[in-house]
Amino acid sequence: MSRTTGDRRAEIIQAAVEVIAERGYRGASLGAVAERVGLTQQGLLHYFPTKEALLVAVLAARDQWDVASTALHGTTWPLEMLTSLVEYNATRPGIVQTFTVLAGDSVTEDHPARAYFEERYRWVRAGAADMLRAEFGDRLPGGLTPERAAPLLVAVMDGLQVQWLLDPGAVDMAAAFRDFVALLGAPGNA
């Protein structure tokens, strides 16, 4: 039975996730991913023309996996679910490192992942605002609207990832995020 292009791409993405988990972002080569799925590097380039294109596909798949559970909780995650996601990210440093490096690199005008990150941050901020509104209403305890607080929430998550990657022994990402959520105040007390 032959594989469809979509099936083959999914297999390559899964292999890339495994290679990144084992070797980190810099150590994850196209050759290693190709070998894992039984392709030559040239064969892999048929599906993903650059390493950046493959890594963006890995991050897009990660986003799909991470938000798949929203169906279990309605359309908006509760804030405690976001805390669980931060805890889960602490178990997959290779993926977090890939995200962080590509996000940083994508700020340049011609980076192949720029459009992905622009779109991603739009829907992440919108989702964060919806989550905050569901938890706190139209005003958080400190007076901010959910739309004003959403970029701050995302910045805390991403900033903690950078600090944790640089010094995992000194920064407990999950505990620090729980501390930040506590600073927001109790839901319903706006």
Side-chain angles (χ1 to χ4, degrees):
M1 173 184 250
S2 68
R3 292 183 205 126
T4 67
T5 299
D7 290 343
R8 191 61 156 158
R9 285 176 60 88
E11 180 184 9
I12 293 166
I13 291 168
Q14 182 57 45
V17 168
E18 293 167 5
V19 171
I20 291 166
E22 293 166 8
R23 302 178 186 188
Y25 168 75
R26 298 275 184 229
S29 69
L30 289 177
V33 175
E35 183 179 323
R36 178 98 25 133
V37 295
L39 290 172
T40 63
Q41 187 167 328
Q42 193 63 30
L44 181 84
L45 293 174
H46 170 74
Y47 297 95
F48 297 97
T50 64
K51 182 178 180 181
E52 288 81 13
L54 175 57
L55 296 175
V56 167
V58 166
L59 294 176
R62 180 204 73 151
D63 286 342
Q64 289 177 336
W65 299 329
D66 288 350
V67 299
S69 65
T70 58
L72 300 175
H73 299 280
T75 57
T76 303
W77 276 14
L79 198 50
E80 82 178 41
M81 191 69 155
L82 196 56
T83 303
S84 296
L85 178 60
V86 172
E87 291 169 353
Y88 177 56
N89 280 344
T91 69
R92 51 187 190 164
I95 295 295
V96 173
Q97 183 186 58
T98 299
F99 171 86
T100 302
V101 169
L102 282 176
D105 287 352
S106 75
V107 301
T108 59
E109 290 295 324
D110 60 346
H111 195 276
R114 184 177 179 105
Y116 164 80
F117 279 101
E118 287 173 344
E119 178 60 26
R120 182 186 189 280
Y121 277 115
R122 274 192 283 279
W123 66 259
V124 167
R125 285 189 306 268
D130 290 345
M131 175 192 321
L132 291 168
R133 181 167 281 102
E135 295 275 339
F136 297 101
D138 289 333
R139 295 270 173 206
L140 277 71
L144 289 177
T145 64
E147 288 73 23
R148 293 279 309 271
L152 302 174
L153 176 66
V154 175
V156 167
M157 291 179 69
D158 288 357
L160 283 172
Q161 288 183 158
V162 171
Q163 293 179 60
W164 172 72
L165 287 167
L166 290 171
D167 196 355
V171 177
D172 182 336
M173 185 168 55
F177 188 73
R178 284 190 298 273
D179 291 343
F180 173 74
V181 170
L183 288 174
L184 294 177
N189 294 336

